[in-house]
Amino acid sequence: MLSWQQLILLSFIGSLRGDVTLQGPVFIREPSNSIFPVDSEEKKVTLNCEAKGNPSPHYRWQLNGSDIDLSMEYRYKLNGGNLVVINPNRNRDTGIYQCFASNSLGTVVSKEAKLQFAYLENFKTKMRSTVSVREGQGVVLLCGPPPHSGELSYAWIFNEYPSFVQEDRRRFVSQETGHLYIAKVEPSDVGNYTCVVTSTVTNNRVLGSPTPLVLRTDGVMGEYEPKIEVQFPETLPAAKGSTVKLECFALGNPVPQINWRRSDGLPFSSKIKMKKSNGMLEIPNFQQEDSGLYECIAENSRGKNVARGRLTYYAKPHWVQMIKDVEAAVEDNLYWECRASGKPKPSYRWLKNGDGLVIEERVQLENGALSISFLNVNDSGMYQCIAENKHGLIYSSAELKVVASAPDFSKNPMKKLIQVQIGSLVIFDCKPKASPKAHCSWKKGDEVLQSSERITILKDGELQIANVTKLDVGTYTCLAENQFGKASSSTNLIVTEPTRITLAPSNMDVSVGESVILPCQVQHDPLLDIVFTWYFNGAITDFKKDGSHFEKVGGSSSGDLMIRNIQLKHSGKYVCMVQTEVDSVSSAAELIVRGSPGPPESVKVDEITDTTAQLSWKEGTDNHSPVTSYVIQARTPFSVGWQIVTTVPDVIDGKTFTATVVDLNPWVEYEFRVVANNKIGGGEPSLPSEKVRTEEAVPEVPPSEVSGGGGSRSELVITWDPVPEELQNGEGFGYVVAFRPLGVTTWIQTVVTSPDTPRYVFRNESILSFSPYEVKVGVYNNKGEGPFSPVTTVFSAEEEPTVAPSHVLANSLSSSIIEVSWDAIPWKMSSGRLLGYEVIPFYTQPLIHVYIIHANRFGNKFHFVFPAPSQPPANIVWNATESKVLINWEQVKAMDNESEVTGYKVFYRTSSQNNMNILNTNKTWAELLLPINEDYIIEVKASTDGGDGTSSEQIRIPRITTCVQYHDGQSTINPTHHLFSSILKTATSESL
């Protein structure tokens, strides 16, 4: 251990050097309780101990309070701080071990660790006496375990291994005594019983001598009340967190029933378990609320008996407040407190460097707290607070460093520069490291400062100057001194004008989509830099993240905030914060953004009829502009999107939250939604209501476009447009078809049950061809019949004409046109309305023969025109000059059955055009102007009275890509360019 002079020197040097870190020993690992099996093949046991510190700790050990002689290497070995006990012996090595770790700064003692030896000896070999009982009598077979150490478990063998006694309501093996209890002996119990004892530490097992059990022959035992043979102590201490097991078993005839209860009447908690046919009560994780008086009740038809015992709660000490390392200056006072809880309440004692702390005038203990007045370096060392009760003890360790050093500003220098504004309070800190505490004085330049009306020098060395002026500018020095030396540190004071906001933001009321500027302009001292910061609802505005809306604008003394395209989310409080090195000012404004309303909520249909729906909803957000009205929209499977519906009231004001929708179609599935409006505009629609179907009603709309006619002989065909599903008004929809001959008063009716059917055919041999009938079509559904359509006239089916036209004549008008004429068929000779005539030509050589089947009844002449030629123009060639292109082709000759060629059409376009231009010519050549920098695409067709003939293949003429060259005043074309070659070329066809 170092002397106090050495400690002062080390402390003083350590204060001058920042690289020396001394530390007393602190345990990393401590020894724990161990149980060593006597018959283990392992020939050593290790108790752990490891501590950290600087210098590195060294170790020693004690057994039962006496130092262990580590020089006895055949018995002990030190491995780091671990103690290795070689060839452990239960007679000499059993006991309490503690590890001591020491270095030059002190010593600490580990917690106590108990080393025990587990063993289990054999039973003595003497025979056990026979136990003789009557049938129905209870019996206890004693085990009597041999000498042992460590926890045991018990079982019994019946006759031979491995037949073990099975515990039930009648048989019980106590794990406290090892005895076997049989509540009521039966003949099947006769046999030999052997007690089996097992060490739970070593798993060794020993067997006692068999105990014979026989029945007496002098009768059967009568019934008797329970007699409790196994019971728990009257008082049983139980540790916090432990598992408590209470045993209870009774002999009796009949076999007794075992039950448990608390004497205070409180119910058992859910964690409590009954085991072994209620012979054992188990309480895991024992807590204080589990303590109390417990009762075991044994009961049969002859009576009952009760055993009682009290569980008391105890807890080993555990820390509430541990001690921590303390560094104090000489002449300071120390107050060190440690606190622990436990039951019973712990007591305290203190160790210094592993020995009991000596109490003296300066050193006092009170309720676990240690106080030392007027510290000196000899008080330095390792201290341990020990809290203990009868169930255990715990240690808390810490180091006390008492230091002595001259003042030193290196770790806590004064600021180089302090800036304050006129009229403020300036504070100069002076906190050098010094042991003992240094005395501080102040100077401004060479002037020694004293406390005055504006100047205050506090005991801790702090200097305060109130109501600062420009005259206070200068250099301030703190001089610190104690008995070990002195030191000083300085700072410069600058006094500036205060910062003021000259144009502050004001409250604003805007609408969504507008843009505004919140001004923030200041006047400040030119010596100071200013920083503008905007806060929105308490959060700093991120101009990068929100750049699409927020932008800071203005000059060096302005921090105006521009907000573009304002949205509802921008409503709130905006604060402009202006900061300098000296001061900060701020100003706030509320921005209210008004927008169209939010969607109404909870739209529901309260009542539904065939044509109306009663709706209600809840108000949504008004977005700072009151709702002026609501509009209801509806959607069906047949509508195109959402449609505005008629309501009662017709205009729904902003304070109304219910309305009736009218003019709905019966038996249609509807969804409804509500839209709120305010002076800003219409808002988002609500979520749709649940789908509802209107009630059924009699159909109101008959089919439209009722007509008919045609068909086969003896048929009347009636047609109509089916009624749409949304107008059918209910299930079971169909049509009622009514008809009668013109002039007859009685209607013939039939029913068409399919709602999608568009026609009905009535067949009857009595129906005359092309006879007029009056027809109407009505509707019906499950609710009843609806209206009929207006009456219309429909003719029955016609018969085909039986007479052909006569006096057919053909006259040639030209090489390609023939005029055909005939006599019309008289009306009275037809069996229906004559629709027209058909002229069918057929070809012979050299003339055309014509048959007329039927034709237009309004005339009796027909011009027949031959088709256009099928042969396209062939052998197309082209020749290009500077600005024109000349195209030639062969003449197209028509066949005998084709129209004569009257001319040609040249179709052309540039490569950038989509539509063709047309040039008509009666020659076999054409001339076109050449475009600049574009290709020409050309095709040719023959023209006839029968139309245009077959087109030639498309021709592509390449673009002009050369320049005119001048030689001796004359222009020539670059002869290398293929477009201007004097050779005529046959154009190549190209598919586009």
Side-chain angles (χ1 to χ4, degrees):
M1 197 73 66
L2 296 178
S3 66
W4 69 269
Q5 294 91 341
Q6 291 172 312
L7 288 171
I8 291 178
L9 180 60
L10 282 174
S11 177
F12 181 69
I13 294 174
S15 68
L16 298 177
R17 297 176 55 196
D19 58 345
V20 176
T21 302
L22 301 177
Q23 181 185 18
V26 177
F27 283 116
I28 299 174
R29 289 194 302 168
E30 297 184 70
S32 56
N33 294 336
S34 297
I35 299 178
F36 185 77
V38 171
D39 55 356
S40 172
E41 295 181 359
E42 187 71 28
K43 299 303 180 182
K44 61 183 179 181
V45 60
T46 300
L47 300 172
N48 294 322
C49 183
E50 182 181 0
K52 63 179 180 178
N54 187 19
S56 298
H58 57 273
Y59 304 89
R60 61 186 176 89
W61 286 79
Q62 285 188 350
L63 170 59
N64 297 328
S66 299
D67 286 342
I68 293 176
D69 185 359
L70 297 175
S71 64
M72 301 170 64
E73 296 183 356
Y74 65 94
R75 287 190 56 192
Y76 304 106
K77 178 183 176 183
L78 203 58
N79 184 4
N82 299 337
L83 176 66
V84 180
V85 181
I86 302 170
N87 294 321
N89 182 278
R90 78 183 189 193
N91 294 321
R92 66 170 183 251
D93 294 321
T94 300
I96 305 297
Y97 287 77
Q98 281 186 290
C99 173
F100 292 73
S102 305
N103 67 8
S104 57
L105 299 180
T107 300
V108 288
V109 183
S110 73
K111 67 180 182 182
E112 295 179 348
K114 183 183 294 186
L115 176 60
Q116 296 176 293
F117 289 81
Y119 62 91
L120 176 61
E121 296 182 3
N122 290 320
F123 281 95
K124 294 180 180 179
T125 58
K126 68 176 184 178
M127 296 297 295
R128 299 198 178 198
S129 301
T130 298
V131 177
S132 179
V133 295
R134 292 189 179 94
E135 181 182 348
Q137 184 179 358
V139 68
V140 179
L141 302 182
L142 304 182
C143 179
H148 64 278
S149 176
E151 188 175 350
L152 302 178
S153 66
Y154 300 92
W156 283 78
I157 295 174
F158 179 56
N159 288 329
E160 293 183 355
Y161 179 85
S163 176
F164 285 90
V165 173
Q166 299 300 313
E167 296 181 80
D168 52 23
R169 287 185 58 226
R170 200 169 58 83
R171 291 168 293 194
F172 183 83
V173 177
S174 171
Q175 296 302 314
E176 296 292 334
T177 64
H179 303 333
L180 170 61
Y181 301 83
I182 302 177
K184 174 189 172 186
V185 174
E186 297 177 353
S188 60
D189 295 325
V190 172
N192 292 320
Y193 292 83
T194 303
C195 181
V196 181
V197 181
T198 303
S199 170
T200 59
V201 179
T202 65
N203 285 328
N204 283 352
R205 175 187 295 178
V206 294
L207 278 65
S209 298
T211 300
L213 177 65
V214 299
L215 290 181
R216 291 170 53 173
T217 59
D218 55 352
V220 177
M221 185 74 174
E223 293 184 352
Y224 62 97
E225 68 179 18
K227 178 183 179 184
I228 296 177
E229 289 288 347
V230 180
Q231 64 185 70
F232 47 97
E234 291 185 1
T235 301
L236 179 64
K240 175 184 178 181
S242 65
T243 297
V244 178
K245 297 179 180 180
L246 303 180
E247 292 184 337
C248 183
F249 192 78
L251 310 182
N253 187 5
V255 175
Q257 174 67 41
I258 305 294
N259 291 299
W260 295 82
R261 71 184 179 193
R262 289 182 59 129
S263 297
D264 55 13
L266 293 176
F268 288 149
S269 66
S270 59
K271 69 180 180 180
I272 293 180
K273 301 292 188 294
M274 305 290 182
K275 296 185 175 181
K276 300 174 70 168
S277 301
N278 285 9
M280 177 185 291
L281 176 74
E282 183 175 287
I283 308 174
N285 190 24
F286 189 83
Q287 300 296 320
Q288 188 159 2
E289 60 266 21
D290 297 319
S291 60
L293 189 63
Y294 286 75
E295 295 181 356
C296 166
I297 302 101
E299 186 174 9
N300 65 11
S301 58
R302 305 297 296 177
K304 69 177 178 179
N305 215 329
V306 179
R308 297 179 178 86
R310 182 174 300 277
L311 291 180
T312 60
Y313 171 85
Y314 75 86
K316 298 177 181 179
H318 64 275
W319 289 116
V320 175
Q321 179 178 334
M322 303 175 70
I323 58 174
K324 297 180 180 179
D325 292 345
V326 173
E327 183 175 305
V330 293
E331 301 177 2
D332 281 353
N333 295 326
L334 171 69
Y335 182 79
W336 233 350
E337 184 179 16
C338 65
R339 286 187 292 117
S341 65
K343 189 171 183 181
K345 185 178 180 180
S347 60
Y348 303 90
R349 55 190 172 93
W350 284 73
L351 303 179
K352 178 187 177 183
N353 294 326
D355 297 324
L357 187 63
V358 178
I359 305 301
E360 53 181 273
E361 186 176 351
R362 287 189 316 112
V363 181
Q364 296 294 322
L365 290 177
E366 183 176 359
N367 295 328
L370 168 64
S371 59
I372 305 177
S373 58
F374 205 73
L375 288 169
N376 60 61
V377 292
N378 283 331
D379 294 321
S380 297
M382 298 302 300
Y383 287 76
Q384 291 177 282
C385 175
I386 303 173
E388 59 185 325
N389 62 18
K390 65 180 182 180
H391 302 294
L393 71 165
I394 51 177
Y395 292 73
S396 177
S397 304
E399 181 181 0
L400 172 61
K401 289 184 180 179
V402 181
V403 294
S405 64
D408 177 20
F409 283 96
S410 62
K411 297 291 181 65
N412 194 19
M414 294 178 62
K415 294 180 179 179
K416 296 297 182 184
L417 178 67
I418 296 179
Q419 292 179 317
V420 296
Q421 63 182 3
I422 294 175
S424 63
L425 171 69
V426 63
I427 298 174
F428 299 90
D429 286 330
C430 183
K431 296 180 179 179
K433 184 178 180 181
S435 297
K437 186 176 180 180
H439 174 266
C440 297
S441 60
W442 286 87
K443 291 194 306 181
K444 178 189 176 188
D446 295 330
E447 176 190 357
V448 176
L449 297 178
Q450 303 291 337
S451 293
S452 64
E453 182 178 350
R454 290 194 311 117
I455 298 175
T456 303
I457 301 176
L458 302 179
K459 290 183 179 181
D460 63 357
E462 185 179 273
L463 170 64
Q464 297 182 354
I465 303 177
N467 196 19
V468 172
T469 70
K470 290 283 188 178
L471 297 176
D472 294 318
V473 173
T475 301
Y476 291 79
T477 302
C478 175
L479 298 97
E481 183 177 5
N482 68 8
Q483 63 264 44
F484 296 105
K486 61 180 64 177
S488 64
S489 184
S490 300
T491 188
N492 290 312
L493 175 65
I494 295 177
V495 180
T496 61
E497 296 289 342
T499 305
R500 299 196 310 274
I501 295 180
T502 57
L503 183 57
S506 58
N507 296 340
M508 300 186 73
D509 191 321
V510 296
S511 297
V512 168
E514 295 181 1
S515 296
V516 297
I517 292 179
L518 298 178
C520 187
Q521 299 177 15
V522 300
Q523 181 180 1
H524 64 96
D525 193 295
L527 293 176
L528 301 175
D529 294 327
I530 60 172
V531 176
F532 292 91
T533 306
W534 281 91
Y535 292 85
F536 173 48
N537 290 337
I540 293 180
T541 301
D542 188 337
F543 288 94
K544 290 184 179 180
K545 181 179 179 181
D546 299 321
S548 60
H549 293 288
F550 294 126
E551 181 182 356
K552 196 182 295 182
V553 296
S556 60
S557 296
S558 174
D560 297 351
L561 174 64
M562 173 180 280
I563 310 176
R564 294 188 180 91
N565 188 22
I566 283 182
Q567 302 298 310
L568 290 171
K569 65 181 180 180
H570 296 137
S571 291
K573 183 178 181 180
Y574 289 81
V575 177
C576 176
M577 176 73 72
V578 186
Q579 293 174 297
T580 69
E581 299 93 327
V582 175
D583 60 353
S584 65
V585 291
S586 64
S587 182
E590 289 286 341
L591 183 63
I592 298 176
V593 181
R594 304 188 189 278
S596 55
E601 300 175 352
S602 303
V603 177
K604 62 179 181 177
V605 179
D606 298 322
E607 185 178 344
I608 191 80
T609 69
D610 56 346
T611 59
T612 67
Q614 178 75 36
L615 266 63
S616 64
W617 60 90
K618 293 182 180 178
E619 185 178 17
T621 57
D622 64 8
N623 293 329
H624 307 114
S625 180
V627 175
T628 57
S629 65
Y630 291 98
V631 173
I632 298 178
Q633 299 174 344
R635 178 173 66 181
T636 73
F638 316 107
S639 64
V640 180
W642 291 90
Q643 306 293 328
I644 296 177
V645 293
T646 306
T647 60
V648 175
D650 184 41
V651 177
I652 307 171
D653 63 51
K655 299 298 183 182
T656 300
F657 307 111
T658 181
T660 300
V661 181
V662 298
D663 298 338
L664 301 178
N665 290 330
W667 199 242
V668 173
E669 191 176 67
Y670 282 90
E671 292 177 278
F672 300 96
R673 69 182 187 184
V674 183
V675 179
N677 302 286
N678 60 17
K679 67 178 183 179
I680 307 298
E684 295 181 13
S686 68
L687 293 174
S689 68
E690 291 186 358
K691 293 180 180 180
V692 294
R693 184 182 287 274
T694 49
E695 295 178 352
E696 293 181 284
V698 173
E700 299 177 349
V701 178
S704 61
E705 302 298 328
V706 176
S707 182
S712 301
R713 184 193 301 262
S714 301
E715 287 185 350
L716 174 64
V717 178
I718 303 170
T719 62
W720 61 88
D721 285 352
V723 175
E725 184 179 347
E726 63 267 30
L727 300 178
Q728 294 174 5
N729 290 10
E731 291 186 311
F733 181 84
Y735 303 96
V736 178
V737 181
F739 54 93
R740 64 187 178 186
L742 187 63
V744 177
T745 59
T746 304
W747 290 95
I748 301 172
Q749 290 191 356
T750 186
V751 172
V752 177
T753 59
S754 173
D756 299 325
T757 298
R759 68 200 298 266
Y760 171 73
V761 178
F762 176 67
R763 296 180 180 87
N764 195 296
E765 293 297 329
S766 64
I767 295 178
L768 299 177
S769 300
F770 206 60
S771 298
Y773 280 78
E774 289 183 311
V775 173
K776 61 181 180 179
V777 181
V779 289
Y780 74 93
N781 63 16
N782 290 346
K783 299 293 288 186
E785 293 187 13
F788 278 89
S789 66
V791 176
T792 186
T793 300
V794 174
F795 285 86
S796 62
E798 304 171 82
E799 292 182 356
E800 65 275 8
T802 59
V803 179
S806 61
H807 299 100
V808 178
L809 297 175
N811 183 30
S812 175
L813 300 181
S814 69
S815 61
S816 59
I817 300 176
I818 297 175
E819 181 183 75
V820 181
S821 63
W822 61 89
D823 289 341
I825 298 175
W827 170 257
K828 62 181 180 180
M829 297 178 65
S830 65
S831 300
R833 182 185 293 110
L834 185 63
L835 299 179
Y837 300 90
E838 182 179 4
V839 179
I840 302 177
F842 69 94
Y843 305 103
T844 62
Q845 295 295 334
L847 298 175
I848 295 177
H849 292 250
V850 177
Y851 284 112
I852 298 178
I853 299 177
H854 56 285
N856 190 317
R857 74 172 186 271
F858 297 109
N860 55 4
K861 289 187 178 181
F862 180 80
H863 288 182
F864 184 82
V865 180
F866 288 106
S870 60
Q871 180 67 30
N875 296 327
I876 299 175
V877 294
W878 56 267
N879 183 26
T881 65
E882 287 184 27
S883 59
K884 298 180 180 178
V885 60
L886 182 65
I887 306 171
N888 292 269
W889 58 87
E890 291 183 356
Q891 181 180 0
V892 176
K893 296 181 179 181
M895 305 290 288
D896 291 340
N897 59 349
E898 294 178 339
S899 294
E900 182 180 353
V901 175
T902 58
Y904 297 91
K905 290 182 181 180
V906 180
F907 295 82
Y908 65 96
R909 65 177 176 86
T910 63
S911 56
S912 63
Q913 295 175 328
N914 292 324
N915 298 323
M916 285 285 192
N917 302 301
I918 301 175
L919 174 65
N920 291 298
T921 180
N922 56 5
K923 301 179 176 60
T924 57
W925 58 272
E927 188 177 73
L928 299 173
L929 292 176
L930 277 174
I932 304 299
N933 290 329
E934 287 195 79
D935 294 352
Y936 246 149
I937 299 167
I938 298 173
E939 59 186 63
V940 183
K941 296 181 181 179
S943 300
T944 72
D945 291 336
D948 294 341
T950 303
S951 173
S952 68
E953 292 187 337
Q954 289 183 334
I955 309 301
R956 179 183 292 272
I957 300 178
R959 67 189 72 182
I960 299 174
T961 58
T962 187
C963 298
V964 178
Q965 300 178 356
Y966 292 86
H967 300 282
D968 299 329
Q970 297 182 352
S971 63
T972 62
I973 302 301
N974 185 340
T976 62
H977 195 279
H978 69 279
L979 182 61
F980 298 97
S981 173
S982 60
I983 303 174
L984 290 178
K985 300 180 179 180
T986 300
T988 58
S989 64
E990 180 178 333
S991 297
L992 301 183

